[in-house]
Amino acid sequence: MQKNRRILMALMGLEIGGAETHVVELAKYLSQNGYTVYAVSSGGVYENELQKFGIRHYYAPLTAKSPLDILKSYRTIKKIVKKERIDIIHAHARIPAFVCSLVNKVTKTPFITTVHGVYSTSFLFKLLTNWGQETICVSEDVKKYVKDIYSIPDERIHLTINGINQDTFSSDVDYSELLKEFDISDNDFKIVYVSRLDEGNCDGAFMLIEKGEDILKNIPNAKIIIVGDGTEYDTIDRRTSAFNKGHGTKLFTLAGARTDVYKFTAMADLVIGISRVALEAMSSGNVVILGGFGGYIGVFEEDKLQLCLDTNFTGRGCKEMTSHMLYDDIIRVYEMSEEEKDKLISFGKQIVTDNYSIKAMAKSNIVAYDALLDREKRESYDFMISGYYGFNNSGDDTLLSAMIKSFRECDEDLSIMVLSDNPQETQEKYKVKSIKRINVFKIFSAMKKTKAFISGGGSLIQDVTSTKSIMYYLFLMRLAKCMHLPVMVYANGVGPIDKKKNIESTVKEFNKADLITLREKDSMEFLREIGVTNDNISVTADPTFTLDSAPDEEVQAALDMYSVPKDKGIMAVSLREWKTARKYFEKEISITLDEICEKYNLFPLFIPMQYPNDLDFSKKILSSMKTEGAVIDTQYDGALLKGIFKKCTITLGMRLHSLIYSFGVGVPVIGLSYDPKVKSFLEYVKCPYYVDVEKLSMSNLKETFDYCYANMDTIRNDIEENLSIMKNLAYDNVTYAIKMLNKEI
């Protein structure tokens, strides 16, 4: 199920800088090509640029390292991820990556980081660094850095480039407004220096000031324009102003932070910068000097290409830049012939065209996104489903089958983990992952890789069976919430719950659940009575309504195995032992079944729903009857069982799912109500024909049966009228679950 991916770009800020421009260009391209992109940062001049492309920006103090600011950023990003239903968190730089790693642990949202450079490897910084589930590196030397220092495996590392928008960074750009703004002549030799003006990043600016007098002496028409902002801006401003004043000239101009850098590169005769700035300048048709805090390469020309490629045009590991080197290269460029300059400009433009397009940059990121989502799919689970599975109970196992079928119809690629008493059988039968339902350590480990938890259909939350049972299911819900998983109670029948402690625990966990669907109205009323105030509750229907019956030929072959006659009507009988049944229940049910079968010429077909208990009890009842009948002693799947019920005239059932199967194929049903869920279901589907097991007598059972048989056509019409409603409500369960998974509710 492909959908519009929602990407959150998390970066330190949006001021002038290579990494910042990289993110802005990537975000713009993705937003124009089927992705919904959001950004979170400490803000800056590029906010308006993002806004033009419909990219919403959120503020978070991602440049700050204090614990309080990190906490603020964490809370902000977590809120964004939930509110905007983010599919992938894409962090850029170390602080955003650290904060996003914390959000990933809580929200389970896939998390990837682009590493734009090499950073301090001190113990503390290394400890707090997390480069994501997949890592994108902007160059081979950065890739080597993350492999060597952080031991990230090769298969989790992707290479990208600093893509340049050549339509924007072009020599054809009109820069006349800049000439007016800064009182510069087109005949001046315009040297443009672009950098973040932070300590350690802008040594080149100070070197230009240091060599200002020499530059002015040898290039009388020189103009040096410094573009950028940062912590050193005021210092640079003071020094350049003092120089200009002291020499009675305007050699230096400070432009500050700008989003129209492309105009400056178009205007320039020479650009000094590294990384993305250098590539943008080359695209704009400039001669470029590469030098910065990482090292010095000098004038970009053909014999330095490999060095530039190896260091992503940063000079990392090269000789340290000095003011003398920088000055000498400025003079060299100034003295070049036009032919020499044109050769360098042409070569630079071609390098950008061939290797550094925005499309290529975006494509490499999309490949990394796909790899991340694919790995997530392989190494994680969309849903963990808990229920009474793997106990040879036909009703509960069919519930699971119906749920998985409905999920697969919505998204065939969903990854599902089922807690089962027989994991191997569950895996083979339903093609899902499965672990032992009582192995807490494995459950805990699996939950860490799970996106959503489902307390699956059936009567799980009741203490008639035992307190141990209800506490088990409530414990799993509590554990899932502790693991920050969204929790859905899926088409449950709730109650009865008699013990005060169990009621209190139920109220507590149900009020924390993200979503609750119930298979009948009585469960809703019961939850409200005990104090559940959760608003995210709706009454749907049992999941097994969504299951189709097996083909007729398979069903008939099964009936033939048990010599079921074709000249008689078939009465499906589904019984179980019950501790509070009347003393003479077995005797009375046998006699009554004999009389009914004789009166209406019916063949009693016993269909056990749980093995071996129901099988043994069914054989016991049939052996005490005079009427010829049969007991299905093969464990058929839900589809075949529904097909068998469909061949029947009427069903007499204690087990709830025998009644659901019959109703689901349009066959009239009579319930033997041993548990409130039987009565609740029959009343909910407007088929209120049942006898209380504790008050069962031959007369009241026969009376109910006689009424139903006499009104068979009316009952069938009522069932047909309500059945489509029940099926639609049953499908609502999976719709809600998928929406919860996708963070849409």
Side-chain angles (χ1 to χ4, degrees), residues 57 77 80 99 114 151 216 337 359 379-380 436 469 500 505 523 529 541 546 597 623 636 706 730 734 741:
H57 176 264
I77 294 174
I80 297 167
V99 175
T114 294
S151 302
L216 192 59
S337 68
K359 185 176 180 180
E379 297 181 359
S380 66
K436 192 75 172 177
S469 173
K500 183 179 178 182
S505 296
S523 291
E529 284 173 9
T546 64
C597 290
S623 67
Y636 293 126
D706 288 341
V734 72
L741 178 68

Side-chain angles (χ1 to χ4, degrees), residues 105-337:
K105 284 179 169 59
V106 172
T107 65
K108 313 294 184 191
T109 305
F111 161 50
I112 193 167
T113 294
T114 294
V115 188
H116 292 270
V118 297
Y119 306 90
S120 168
T121 55
S122 67
F123 174 75
L124 181 60
F125 278 115
K126 187 176 178 182
L127 186 67
L128 296 178
T129 299
N130 187 322
W131 294 129
Q133 295 162 290
E134 300 279 326
T135 305
I136 302 172
C137 298
V138 296
S139 63
E140 285 286 356
D141 66 322
V142 173
K143 177 179 178 179
K144 184 176 185 303
Y145 158 76
V146 298
K147 283 179 66 176
D148 293 348
I149 303 301
Y150 298 99
S151 302
I152 298 175
D154 209 48
E155 65 270 16
R156 289 181 183 262
I157 302 176
H158 307 265
L159 277 172
T160 191
I161 55 173
N162 281 316
I164 307 302
N165 188 331
Q166 289 184 275
D167 292 331
T168 300
F169 287 92
S170 164
S171 55
D172 297 329
V173 169
D174 180 8
Y175 55 83
S176 57
E177 291 180 0
L178 293 186
L179 297 177
K180 292 177 184 178
E181 181 180 354
F182 297 110
D183 191 23
I184 297 171
S185 167
D186 217 3
N187 294 321
D188 290 329
F189 185 73
K190 300 172 286 297
I191 303 168
V192 173
Y193 175 84
V194 184
S195 175
R196 276 200 304 269
L197 302 182
D198 293 327
E199 185 179 357
N201 284 335
C202 57
D203 292 347
F206 289 106
M207 292 178 187
L208 288 169
I209 297 169
E210 180 185 336
K211 288 293 182 179
E213 194 165 322
D214 291 335
I215 293 171
L216 192 59
K217 179 180 178 181
N218 290 285
I219 312 176
N221 65 332
K223 296 291 183 184
I224 300 173
I225 303 97
I226 298 174
V227 183
D229 197 0
T231 57
E232 297 296 299
Y233 180 89
D234 290 342
T235 301
I236 294 170
D237 186 32
R238 285 194 302 272
R239 292 193 185 182
T240 55
S241 296
F243 182 95
N244 288 343
K245 186 176 180 181
H247 291 79
T249 185
K250 196 177 180 184
L251 175 63
F252 291 100
T253 296
L254 263 63
R258 304 283 294 227
T259 58
D260 56 350
V261 173
Y262 61 95
K263 292 182 180 179
F264 288 89
T265 55
M267 176 181 72
D269 296 296
L270 168 65
V271 173
I272 301 168
I274 58 172
S275 191
R276 187 178 191 88
V277 170
L279 292 167
E280 289 170 347
M282 289 155 59
S283 179
S284 296
N286 293 127
V287 178
V288 176
I289 293 176
L290 290 124
F293 65 91
Y296 191 76
I297 294 176
V299 178
F300 175 68
E301 44 201 337
E302 196 165 346
D303 63 349
K304 294 175 181 173
L305 175 60
Q306 192 57 51
L307 181 60
C308 290
L309 294 174
D310 290 343
T311 65
N312 195 35
F313 290 82
T314 65
R316 270 190 296 269
C318 298
K319 58 190 175 184
E320 187 176 345
M321 182 169 70
T322 68
S323 60
H324 297 293
M325 292 177 188
L326 182 59
Y327 170 74
D328 288 346
D329 277 334
I330 290 172
I331 297 301
R332 179 190 162 200
V333 171
Y334 177 71
E335 293 176 348
M336 280 181 181
S337 68

Side-chain angles (χ1 to χ4, degrees), residues 651-668:
T651 293
L652 177 67
M654 282 182 72
R655 289 287 188 183
L656 177 62
H657 275 93
S658 68
L659 304 174
I660 294 174
Y661 287 165
S662 290
F663 183 92
V665 291
V667 173

Side-chain angles (χ1 to χ4, degrees), residues 629-680:
V631 178
I632 302 288
D633 59 3
T634 304
Q635 287 186 265
Y636 293 126
D637 63 23
L640 191 50
L641 284 176
K642 285 189 81 169
I644 291 172
F645 279 105
K646 190 175 182 179
K647 293 286 187 179
C648 297
T649 306
I650 193 167
T651 293
L652 177 67
M654 282 182 72
R655 289 287 188 183
L656 177 62
H657 275 93
S658 68
L659 304 174
I660 294 174
Y661 287 165
S662 290
F663 183 92
V665 291
V667 173
V669 294
I670 298 171
L672 296 177
S673 183
Y674 71 97
D675 185 292
K677 65 185 180 183
V678 174
K679 169 179 172 289
S680 296

Side-chain angles (χ1 to χ4, degrees), residues 727-740:
K727 284 183 178 179
N728 289 335
L729 288 170
Y731 277 114
D732 283 347
N733 294 308
V734 72
T735 300
Y736 291 143
I738 294 293
K739 284 185 175 182
M740 183 181 77

Side-chain angles (χ1 to χ4, degrees), residues 454-604:
I454 288 178
S455 187
S459 302
L460 306 180
I461 310 302
Q462 47 80 22
D463 59 8
V464 174
T465 304
S466 70
T467 289
K468 186 188 297 185
S469 173
I470 188 173
M471 294 311 293
Y472 167 78
Y473 294 113
L474 292 175
F475 164 75
L476 290 176
M477 291 173 62
R478 187 181 312 120
L479 180 60
K481 291 306 293 183
C482 288
M483 300 287 287
H484 305 287
L485 299 181
V487 170
M488 178 180 182
V489 178
Y490 192 104
N492 271 207
V494 183
I497 308 173
D498 295 322
K499 294 180 180 178
K500 183 179 178 182
K501 181 181 178 182
N502 295 342
I503 290 174
E504 290 173 350
S505 296
T506 299
V507 171
K508 183 178 179 181
E509 298 310 321
F510 271 56
N511 278 335
K512 290 191 294 184
D514 296 87
L515 190 59
I516 300 168
T517 59
L518 304 167
R519 69 185 179 194
E520 21 73 13
K521 293 177 181 177
D522 284 6
S523 291
M524 170 76 89
E525 293 172 5
F526 175 76
L527 288 177
R528 294 308 188 201
E529 284 173 9
I530 64 174
V532 173
T533 57
N534 195 325
D535 290 329
N536 297 317
I537 303 182
S538 58
V539 179
T540 54
D542 193 280
T544 54
F545 280 120
T546 64
L547 273 185
D548 296 323
S549 303
D552 275 356
E553 57 270 23
E554 291 182 29
V555 175
Q556 191 57 55
L559 293 176
D560 291 343
M561 281 181 58
Y562 295 98
S563 303
V564 178
K566 297 179 181 179
D567 58 348
K568 283 187 174 186
I570 304 170
M571 177 169 64
V573 183
S574 177
L575 302 177
R576 64 164 295 172
E577 286 189 289
W578 189 244
K579 55 193 174 184
T580 61
R582 282 163 53 87
K583 183 178 180 181
Y584 301 106
F585 172 73
E586 294 174 24
K587 181 179 179 181
E588 289 180 343
I589 199 75
S590 299
I591 294 171
T592 306
L593 288 175
D594 272 331
E595 292 184 9
I596 289 171
C597 290
E598 183 179 354
K599 181 176 181 179
Y600 294 106
N601 192 32
L602 296 172
F603 181 87

